[in-house]
Amino acid sequence: MSACLLEETTEANLENIRKLRHTLAKTLPLTKLPAETQNNILLVCSEITTNIIRHADPPATSIGIELLKTDNHWYFSVYDNGGVFLDFATIMSNKKDAIAITHESHLNESGMGLALISTLFPEHHYECREQRKDNRNCFQIRCELVEVNLPKVAAIDDDRTTVSILERYLQQEFQVQTYTDPIDAVKEISRHPVDVVISDMMMPGLNGLEVRKRFAANPNTSNMPFIFLTGNEQTEADAVDLGIDDFLVKPVKKDKILAVIHRVLNRAKQIQSSLGDRLDNAITKALRVQLPSQLWRFNTATYIQSASSGGGDFIYNSPDKKLLLLGDIMGHGEQAKFFSHAYAGFIHGFIHATHNVAPSPDELLNALSEAAETNDVLQSTLVTCICLAFNEYEDTLLCASAAHPPPFIVSHEHGCKPIKVEGPLPGLIPDQHYEPVNIQLYPGERLVIYTDGLLESANTPHGRKQLEEHVKNTLKNTLDLSIQRALDKVIETFYAYAASPLPDDVTVIMLELNKSNTKNNHNESQ
């Protein structure tokens, strides 16, 4: 029996590949696969689809992805109607020589990524279109289903009948560890903490109060939720002083003990979440870049909103204010927040190593790509980014992109006109060199750079199309407003058509020429 979690086909081009990858990134968490496996599947999607677009002969006109679940496995497939990619087929059907083949010149940039896929997913399969009834090439990887990690409960009682009953009550909803010797329980749980402990109060050798004291004295177990089980209500007063989470009197019914355990676990999660939110807010506030309202000859307006705590979007503005980078970590939440700070930290270190003299956008992306390929931390996730360089004496900007949504110039005459600036994901292709483009901005026009949450934060293809149309119309219709007021109107429109809660982080940066462009304005930007 199988169930299809995702099936989407689109016109074959680099922009649509980015959209497919984004849709896959939002879907993968539903599989409950390990985060590392999810990131590896995203890598497969990026590498395979990019190779198809760039190397299929004749070119593919359609490309699709599918995520399918069977009783024992997850399957991820990529389909296309282009010519058979011979280098691709050779590598994927010759696993033993995969790494060696990457050094052959005829593979150019495609070899290393394909060889990496052979290593990450040995159980892969490739069929040429001639072998299939649907007349499409198909590449497929297979992942083992992973059991859901149930909360761990330790039950401690010197009465074997009691621990047997507790195990029978709890085994369907929890991983249960039982102990009839409290000393053994303390030794084992101290080394391998559990999510909650249920302990009898009166036991020979080591009573329940002493068990709790020993756990409280150990930093590894001091915050571990603890439930006392006793036949004497008078002992409750002694237990309260030790910070006991709950108290049950024997005999205990199944529904009662399940309700107490769930209540204790939820309370612990709420406390942890509250503490985490405080820390996250402090860190995020300290590290979030606040762009000035003017950068050299340009006025700016910025909006940042995370879909969840922390978020994966980040901004870097060099100390001399001549370089601006907007990045988007794949996914959101705590993991994305961590990697956004890791990338921002790398960029800061790279700029510092150049004595705070900003490099060109292509030089920065080249360095970022090399780090994403070789650094153990950075290569654990995917990032897109766009970089702008300012010239204090010019009305032009130098721009380079690493698989980021294309910026667009907004004008009365052309509406939102996308700028063709392209480049692969950092770390995807060895020795990658990004090509910058010059952007000329005229009075009355605005440049918009953004993360893909701005145009894709809807739950259906029709909803995303509608969201994009309304946002772009608002951008054009607010050209006569101040840049900050215009951005406020755009965000109002965004929330009117975006899904709730937001499925992705959103960052928007708008720039326009300062109308006066006086020397005084130039000095103020510094």
Side-chain angles (χ1 to χ4, degrees), residues 130-179:
E130 290 82 2
Q131 300 172 287
R132 296 174 51 83
K133 292 181 180 179
D134 61 1
N135 197 33
R136 296 188 298 174
N137 304 309
C138 174
F139 170 74
Q140 185 179 81
I141 58 173
R142 187 176 78 175
C143 304
E144 297 287 341
L145 278 178
V146 178
E147 292 185 4
V148 177
N149 291 324
L150 299 175
K152 295 179 181 178
V153 176
I156 310 171
D157 197 308
D158 61 305
D159 180 46
R160 294 184 181 277
T161 301
T162 299
V163 294
S164 295
I165 293 172
L166 289 173
E167 184 174 25
R168 188 167 67 251
Y169 281 175
L170 305 178
Q171 61 187 358
Q172 289 187 339
E173 297 188 36
F174 304 98
Q175 298 180 57
V176 185
Q177 302 168 194
T178 60
Y179 302 90

Side-chain angles (χ1 to χ4, degrees), residues 44 48 52 76-80 88 92 117-118 121 124-127 137-141:
V44 168
I48 298 301
I52 289 170
F76 172 68
S77 304
V78 178
Y79 300 95
D80 75 279
F88 173 91
M92 305 316 285
I117 291 170
S118 276
F121 297 99
H124 56 259
H125 182 64
Y126 181 76
E127 282 186 334
N137 304 309
C138 174
F139 170 74
Q140 185 179 81
I141 58 173

Side-chain angles (χ1 to χ4, degrees), residues 428-474:
L428 190 62
I429 298 173
D431 300 321
Q432 172 62 36
H433 295 285
Y434 293 86
E435 295 295 332
V437 300
N438 273 302
I439 299 176
Q440 175 68 60
L441 203 60
Y442 295 99
E445 296 180 339
R446 285 179 178 146
L447 175 69
V448 182
I449 63 174
Y450 55 97
T451 55
D452 52 13
L454 175 67
L455 303 182
E456 297 183 13
S457 290
N459 293 327
T460 65
H462 174 72
R464 290 192 288 272
K465 182 177 180 181
Q466 187 180 42
L467 173 64
E468 181 173 348
E469 288 177 353
H470 285 283
V471 166
K472 288 184 175 180
N473 284 338
T474 305

Side-chain angles (χ1 to χ4, degrees), residues 373-394:
E373 181 189 353
T374 58
N375 183 280
D376 290 340
V377 173
L378 300 186
Q379 69 181 196
S380 299
T381 190
L382 298 174
V383 63
T384 70
C385 46
I386 188 166
C387 190
L388 299 175
F390 297 85
N391 187 318
E392 58 190 291
Y393 304 114
E394 301 290 340

Side-chain angles (χ1 to χ4, degrees), residues 165-293:
I165 293 172
L166 289 173
E167 184 174 25
R168 188 167 67 251
Y169 281 175
L170 305 178
Q171 61 187 358
Q172 289 187 339
E173 297 188 36
F174 304 98
Q175 298 180 57
V176 185
Q177 302 168 194
T178 60
Y179 302 90
T180 55
D181 186 335
I183 296 177
D184 288 343
V186 171
K187 289 179 181 178
E188 179 65 23
I189 297 171
S190 295
R191 290 196 299 266
H192 305 288
V194 296
D195 295 292
V196 63
V197 173
I198 303 173
S199 176
D200 186 24
M201 284 283 287
M202 305 304 295
M203 295 181 290
L206 201 66
N207 65 36
L209 292 174
E210 188 61 34
V211 169
R212 177 64 184 118
K213 286 179 181 178
R214 296 196 181 188
F215 284 144
N218 185 340
N220 292 331
T221 55
S222 60
N223 294 319
M224 193 166 55
F226 204 96
I227 300 171
F228 267 146
L229 191 63
T230 184
N232 184 358
E233 294 186 14
Q234 298 302 316
T235 58
E236 181 174 357
D238 296 329
V240 169
D241 292 336
L242 280 174
I244 303 307
D245 293 275
D246 221 311
F247 195 93
L248 292 169
V249 178
K250 297 179 183 178
V252 179
K253 294 183 179 181
K254 180 180 179 180
D255 57 349
K256 174 68 172 177
I257 194 168
L258 287 174
V260 168
I261 292 175
H262 284 299
R263 184 168 65 244
V264 167
L265 287 174
N266 287 334
R267 187 187 306 148
K269 287 181 181 178
Q270 290 172 0
I271 293 172
Q272 185 179 23
S273 176
S274 176
L275 292 173
D277 285 346
R278 285 192 216 169
L279 178 62
D280 175 69
N281 290 336
I283 294 175
T284 301
K285 184 177 180 180
L287 295 178
R288 177 171 286 176
V289 172
Q290 298 295 327
L291 291 180
S293 60

